Amino acid sequence: GRPRSTPDQVIADKAYSSRGFRAYLRQRGIECTIPEKNDQQRHRHNRGSRGGRPPAFDRQIYRQRNVVERCFNRLKGFRGIATRYDKTAASYEAAVSLASLLLWARSL
């Protein structure tokens, strides 16, 4: 099979801020930058000293996620990519490459 590789870091939104997900990443030695949900913060504060420390969060790294999200949104502006009309992975990858090239050409 293909060689497996683990990422150095995961940057995700609040939907992935569960303790189980963080524990899964920690178990595999993967750093994570995930903001904590408001209700989780309140619950931790209500528990006082038994609530534990807040999870590590780096705002500068999290801001880099915005660049990737904007790229996906611009690619979804192409109807064929958003709806995945292509039947094979190779033709879909070609369509994404072509759309990326067109977006790059527009930016010049």
Side-chain angles (χ1 to χ4, degrees), residues 40-60:
Q40 289 175 342
Q41 286 177 346
R42 266 195 319 274
H43 184 68
R44 188 172 38 76
H45 285 292
N46 289 342
R47 289 182 53 111
S49 62
R50 293 175 298 135
R53 293 182 303 179
F57 179 71
D58 188 356
R59 286 189 187 279
Q60 293 300 104

Side-chain angles (χ1 to χ4, degrees), residues 34-99:
I34 305 171
E36 193 176 23
K37 289 183 182 178
N38 294 337
D39 63 335
Q40 289 175 342
Q41 286 177 346
R42 266 195 319 274
H43 184 68
R44 188 172 38 76
H45 285 292
N46 289 342
R47 289 182 53 111
S49 62
R50 293 175 298 135
R53 293 182 303 179
F57 179 71
D58 188 356
R59 286 189 187 279
Q60 293 300 104
I61 291 174
Y62 189 70
R63 286 182 181 163
Q64 294 173 0
R65 181 179 169 271
N66 183 29
V67 175
V68 176
E69 290 291 328
R70 283 190 315 215
C71 177
F72 281 125
N73 287 334
R74 292 185 84 186
L75 283 172
K76 285 184 179 181
F78 292 88
R79 186 174 173 201
I81 293 172
T83 55
R84 185 99 181 9
Y85 283 140
D86 301 314
K87 293 187 185 247
T88 63
S91 59
Y92 183 72
E93 185 178 356
V96 170
S97 297
L98 181 61

Side-chain angles (χ1 to χ4, degrees), residues 4-50:
R4 306 274 179 201
S5 64
T6 57
D8 295 328
Q9 186 170 39
V10 171
I11 304 172
D13 61 356
K14 289 183 179 186
Y16 298 97
S17 107
S18 70
R19 279 189 297 177
F21 188 70
R22 290 178 192 273
Y24 176 82
L25 293 173
R26 198 176 317 114
Q27 195 175 34
R28 283 163 176 62
I30 302 170
E31 293 181 30
C32 66
T33 302
I34 305 171
E36 193 176 23
K37 289 183 182 178
N38 294 337
D39 63 335
Q40 289 175 342
Q41 286 177 346
R42 266 195 319 274
H43 184 68
R44 188 172 38 76
H45 285 292
N46 289 342
R47 289 182 53 111
S49 62
R50 293 175 298 135

